[in-house]
Amino acid sequence: MSKSSFPFSRKNYKLMFIGIGLIVLGFVLIGLDPEPHGNGVLGLTIGPIVTLSGFIFEFYAIFAKTENNV
């Protein structure tokens, strides 16, 4: 048993917070689209790409190995 009661290391948690930030940024970009009903470039292209990259980054953050959780 390890000393820590947390399931992930400090590195994993930092990466998860970055991923959450990317997801939130993507939704904010979608909401900032000036076109009606979000039909502009921000709402249909850039925002969803940033949001998807945030989710992909979250998967990486969960599965990233560190020296402590071998």
Side-chain angles (χ1 to χ4, degrees):
M1 269 307 201
S2 66
K3 293 184 213 176
S4 177
S5 63
F6 295 111
F8 299 110
S9 70
R10 176 177 234 130
K11 175 188 170 187
N12 294 94
Y13 284 114
K14 286 180 184 179
L15 292 174
M16 284 184 209
F17 283 125
I18 292 171
I20 290 171
L22 281 172
I23 294 169
V24 169
L25 177 66
F27 280 112
V28 168
L29 288 174
I30 292 170
L32 288 176
D33 193 9
E35 295 293 320
H37 306 293
N39 287 330
V41 174
L42 281 177
L44 291 176
T45 306
I46 297 172
I49 289 173
V50 172
T51 305
L52 181 64
S53 67
F55 280 110
I56 292 171
F57 197 82
E58 281 291 322
F59 282 116
Y60 169 74
I62 291 170
F63 292 115
K65 293 278 186 187
T66 58
E67 298 83 33
N68 295 339
N69 63 357
V70 172

